[in-house]
Amino acid sequence: MAPVAAASREGQPWLPFVVFCAIGLLWLPALAGPFQFDDYNVIVGYAPVQSLAGWWQSLPGLRPLLKLSYALNWSVSPAPFGFHLVNLLLHLLNGALLLAWARRALPLDRTAALALVALWLLHPVQTEAVTYIAGRSVTLSATFLFAGLLLLARGGARAPAGAALCTALALAVRETAWVFPLVFALALWMQGQAARAVARAVAPSLLVVAVAAVLFLLEPHYRQMIDTSFGLREAGAQLRAQVVAQGYLLAQLVTLAPNIDPDLRVPAAWSPLLAAALAAWLAVMAGALAGVLRHRSWLAAGVLWFGLLLLPTNSLMPRVDLASERHLYAAWLGPLWCGVWLLRDWRWRAWPAALLLGLLATATLVRNEDYRSELALWARTAQQSPHKARVWNNLGVACREAGHRDCAEAAFTRALELDPVDPRAGANLYFLRHPRP
């Protein structure tokens, strides 16, 4: 495929501003929510992010730049509103960076590029990265991904160094940014650059990743995290788990029913269906790689983009939770641009785009209502994952904090029915029935 032509000049210059303002208004309900779930572990109950001095004393530690962002938020105000506001502004900033990159790098006109970004910003699956404060690691990391892509698309002698700096900053937010050089290479290759030029452009970023890998291995917290991870399940079980996880994540792009704590289980053994699903997934990824390398196919690139950005979280390294929707944040751009690319020459493309934007906006508004309180979020999650003990325990805590004793007792009891040895639910139920004087 020939190098991408310059974007056409069609469209009104004020249109992106209007669209971004409208999207910002649609996301405003996200600002009203309280701290939720892991927010208590990483912010409310975590001293190193509650002052700049505490942050400094915690260095090097895990994710120092992410913790700095939390510490700055806390220094201004410990209320959740400021944390939510920063998350939302990061989301809109990411949309702006993405739009600037898409206009330069993707073979779409200005209107199609804007539609692509609007759809990406509005999908309800993004709520776990935006409305859920602990999802900031994903949104802030994506900021550096899109900034690096934009720098490389603009070109210039300093672009590789700028992309390397973006990679370093992203690694200080989230260690999964090691995949960024591969994403940079994919984007440059699809823009028509020769293999040697691509290699020169991403070499500094690869060097940053190599240095970071050494530093991570020297840092005790990262070594402990790696040891804990690989102790969760053996390789075969992890592979089966990821077939389930990848299927779930793909389904979430269509079902529009986000779930902060999905009930996913590791299959005990291989079945013909599970093996066929794995074979199909590997065949699709191999075909996408071949399509990119041989034909610079934008459809294949969208598929490969999705696979690359899920690689750090959904591949060989086990995690306690098989799948988290916030990991789709940047990844789902790949399938999205496949759809926009297919409709690029369709005369009536505005109608499905408008209908889909309306559907996504409505679903996001509804999902943000679930985040209005801990009780609302976990009541909704209990409907979606009724057989997961952790969900019922969290619902019980939310009920207890809201002053609903009967609701809390019923939820803790249900958690113990599902997992009789759950220590948290057992302790919570005991102290609910035997309050301290």
Side-chain angles (χ1 to χ4, degrees):
M1 181 176 178
V4 177
S8 67
R9 298 294 178 182
E10 64 184 72
Q12 300 297 328
W14 46 263
L15 187 57
F17 176 76
V18 173
V19 169
F20 272 72
C21 286
I23 292 172
L25 290 173
L26 288 167
W27 273 97
L28 283 182
L31 302 178
F35 291 111
Q36 300 273 15
F37 204 11
D38 281 340
D39 294 343
Y40 289 94
N41 295 327
V42 301
I43 301 172
V44 180
Y46 190 55
V49 304
Q50 294 177 358
S51 70
L52 292 175
W55 169 78
W56 181 258
Q57 292 170 5
S58 72
L59 294 178
L62 300 175
R63 303 182 176 182
L65 188 53
L66 174 65
K67 291 178 182 177
L68 177 59
S69 77
Y70 289 146
L72 290 171
N73 255 133
W74 191 278
S75 298
V76 175
S77 171
F81 175 84
F83 290 86
H84 284 300
L85 180 61
V86 170
N87 277 24
L88 178 53
L89 291 176
L90 282 172
H91 188 47
L92 295 175
L93 172 61
N94 288 343
L97 291 170
L98 178 57
L99 179 60
W101 173 73
R103 285 178 167 180
R104 287 179 174 270
L106 299 184
L108 302 171
D109 60 46
R110 285 176 171 266
T111 303
L114 181 59
L116 172 82
V117 173
L119 290 167
W120 180 80
L121 286 168
L122 278 176
H123 199 294
V125 80
Q126 306 290 49
T127 52
E128 191 171 305
V130 181
T131 311
Y132 180 31
I133 296 170
R136 183 182 297 181
S137 65
V138 174
T139 52
L140 184 55
S141 177
T143 301
F144 298 118
L145 171 64
F146 296 142
L149 286 167
L150 180 58
L151 287 171
L152 290 171
R154 286 178 172 175
R158 298 181 179 179
L165 176 60
C166 289
T167 302
L169 293 172
L171 285 165
V173 173
R174 189 176 177 85
E175 54 284 340
T176 54
W178 65 261
V179 80
F180 283 13
L182 301 180
V183 180
F184 294 158
L186 172 64
L188 291 172
W189 178 257
M190 292 307 301
Q191 289 171 241
Q193 294 199 20
R196 288 186 178 180
V198 172
R200 286 194 300 269
V202 302
S205 297
L206 286 170
L207 179 60
V208 166
V209 169
V211 172
V214 174
L215 294 177
F216 286 169
L217 291 175
L218 292 175
E219 216 287 321
H221 294 90
Y222 278 108
R223 290 203 307 272
Q224 181 181 7
M225 182 178 70
I226 293 170
D227 291 341
T228 301
S229 173
F230 283 105
L232 290 174
R233 61 186 73 94
E234 50 88 19
Q238 172 64 9
L239 199 55
R240 294 193 298 273
Q242 287 313 305
V243 176
V244 173
Q246 297 267 358
Y248 169 80
L249 291 172
L250 280 170
Q252 290 306 99
L253 298 179
V254 179
T255 59
L256 308 185
N259 183 350
I260 198 172
D261 201 4
D263 189 8
L264 303 178
R265 309 294 173 94
V266 181
W270 288 99
S271 67
L273 180 61
L274 202 63
L278 175 61
W281 178 257
L282 293 175
V284 167
M285 286 300 143
L289 180 60
V292 166
L293 294 177
R294 295 177 183 177
H295 309 293
R296 300 189 196 245
S297 163
W298 280 99
L299 289 177
V303 174
L304 193 58
W305 172 286
F306 183 80
L308 281 176
L309 283 169
L310 283 182
L311 188 62
T313 55
N314 294 93
S315 59
L316 299 179
M317 191 167 180
R319 301 171 59 249
V320 174
D321 295 316
L322 301 191
S324 299
E325 290 160 9
R326 59 185 176 275
H327 298 150
L328 286 169
Y329 184 74
W332 101 272
L333 177 65
L336 178 60
W337 92 41
C338 289
V340 174
W341 167 255
L342 288 172
L343 292 175
R344 69 194 186 283
D345 295 325
W346 190 28
R347 181 180 177 185
W348 305 107
R349 64 184 181 180
W351 290 105
L355 289 172
L356 186 54
L357 281 169
L359 176 63
L360 295 181
T362 302
T364 296
L365 285 169
V366 169
R367 180 54 175 169
N368 274 320
E369 277 297 298
D370 291 337
Y371 279 91
R372 70 186 183 275
S373 70
E374 292 180 272
L375 184 55
L377 179 63
W378 290 106
R380 172 59 177 153
T381 308
Q383 293 175 351
Q384 297 172 302
S385 302
H387 304 295
K388 192 167 187 177
R390 184 172 70 179
V391 169
W392 287 99
N393 178 68
N394 289 346
L395 176 59
V397 172
C399 290
R400 184 189 64 199
E401 296 303 312
H404 304 311
R405 189 184 183 284
D406 291 344
C407 164
E409 182 166 359
F412 292 141
T413 301
R414 179 57 180 155
L416 288 170
E417 290 173 354
L418 294 169
D419 184 1
V421 297
D422 185 340
R424 296 166 300 177
N428 285 330
L429 183 59
Y430 176 84
F431 286 113
L432 181 71
R433 291 173 173 173
H434 305 86
R436 295 174 182 175

